[in-house]
Amino acid sequence: GAGVSQSPRYKVAKRGQDVALRCDPISGHVSLFWYQQALGQGPEFLTYFQNEAQLDKSGLPSDRFFAERPEGSVSTLKIQRTQQEDSAVYLCASSPGVAGGNEQFFGPGTRLTVL
Amino acid sequence: TQLLEQSPQFLSIQEGENLTVYCNSSSVFSSLQWYRQEPGEGPVLLVTVVTGGEVKKLKRLTFQFGDARKDSSLHITAAQPGDTGLYLCAGADNFNKFYFGSGTKLNVKP
């Protein structure tokens, strides 16, 4: 497909379960971002990759959150021992360049509900 | 605490009315972007402004970047029901990190 895809679109987890969220960016895009969007709020930055290098992970809320992009393409956001406060939409975005202000292309998001 | 404050948070208007949405910060950004997001979808870029004082027009939408590159506004002329959505501003720092505002939820009634 031409756009950013994310899977699954919806995920329900019991508190304490581990989850893995996948992002397929636009082919050839160098930059990849993960955001967390709570209901009624704007997206909040989680982490940023330039190719396979994780250059900024300052937004990850705790050490239960881990992201990787081993081959500089597909990325996975893993949340261990999920908590109710982790319930949110997780958005992935990719960008062709590395300069600030490049257009970000967003996927549809994964809505995570932790019971 | 959001680095970018948007106002108003909610706006419900009649078709044909004009409106302005504001995005303010105490921080300076290298660029600022406006996005529109519809339910169940990711945000879609509307415009990027880079230069202080810059004004960009996109059909009925006018975007302005403040002289000091700390704030921005989005003005919509003759709003239509198709303009309904969540409008988000996002400021970029020099390290390609983006800070989003909390959003303005616009509803345009026919």
Side-chain angles (χ1 to χ4, degrees):
Chain A
V4 177
S5 60
Q6 292 186 246
S7 60
R9 289 293 313 275
Y10 304 91
K11 177 70 180 177
V12 178
K14 291 184 179 178
R15 193 175 57 169
Q17 279 185 333
D18 297 349
V19 298
L21 313 181
R22 178 186 168 109
C23 172
D24 284 80
I26 293 173
S27 178
H29 277 196
V30 171
S31 297
L32 186 144
F33 304 81
W34 282 99
Y35 293 89
Q36 181 189 61
Q37 186 173 25
L39 191 63
Q41 298 294 315
E44 290 211 19
F45 172 85
L46 292 177
T47 187
Y48 162 56
F49 290 86
Q50 190 178 117
N51 296 307
E52 70 279 2
Q54 189 175 22
L55 297 189
D56 189 337
K57 54 181 182 179
S58 62
L60 295 177
S62 77
D63 59 8
R64 296 186 295 104
F65 287 69
F66 172 77
E68 61 183 3
R69 193 187 185 198
E71 297 178 359
S73 178
V74 171
S75 178
T76 304
L77 175 67
K78 296 179 180 177
I79 309 174
Q80 296 177 322
R81 303 181 304 282
T82 52
Q83 303 294 315
Q84 285 187 322
E85 62 263 28
D86 300 336
S87 295
V89 174
Y90 290 85
L91 294 165
C92 173
S94 70
S95 181
V98 301
N102 270 300
E103 178 173 1
Q104 296 181 81
F105 296 83
F106 281 84
T110 294
R111 181 178 294 278
L112 173 65
T113 302
V114 182
L115 303 177
Chain B
T1 305
Q2 300 276 161
L3 202 61
L4 282 163
E5 296 291 333
Q6 284 188 240
S7 60
Q9 276 189 292
F10 302 96
L11 196 52
S12 184
I13 60 172
Q14 290 293 139
E15 182 176 1
E17 291 184 8
N18 302 332
L19 67 118
T20 303
V21 175
Y22 299 93
C23 175
N24 296 299
S25 177
S26 57
S27 300
V28 176
F29 296 103
S30 62
S31 66
L32 194 137
Q33 299 178 331
W34 284 92
Y35 291 82
R36 193 176 98 189
Q37 185 178 23
E38 299 195 28
E41 298 180 10
V44 175
L45 182 70
L46 296 173
V47 77
T48 300
V49 284
V50 179
T51 307
E54 182 177 2
V55 177
K56 279 192 174 178
K57 292 193 176 184
L58 185 67
K59 296 183 182 178
R60 294 178 293 101
L61 278 60
T62 302
F63 305 86
Q64 184 161 9
F65 202 10
D67 291 341
R69 291 186 290 132
K70 292 182 181 181
D71 50 76
S72 181
S73 63
L74 157 61
H75 182 79
I76 301 178
T77 303
Q80 299 176 0
D83 296 327
T84 293
L86 179 68
Y87 288 82
L88 296 159
C89 64
D93 66 14
N94 292 328
F95 302 99
N96 210 20
K97 185 171 178 177
F98 290 83
Y99 301 85
F100 278 83
S102 51
T104 293
K105 197 166 185 179
L106 172 66
N107 180 36
V108 182
K109 295 175 282 188

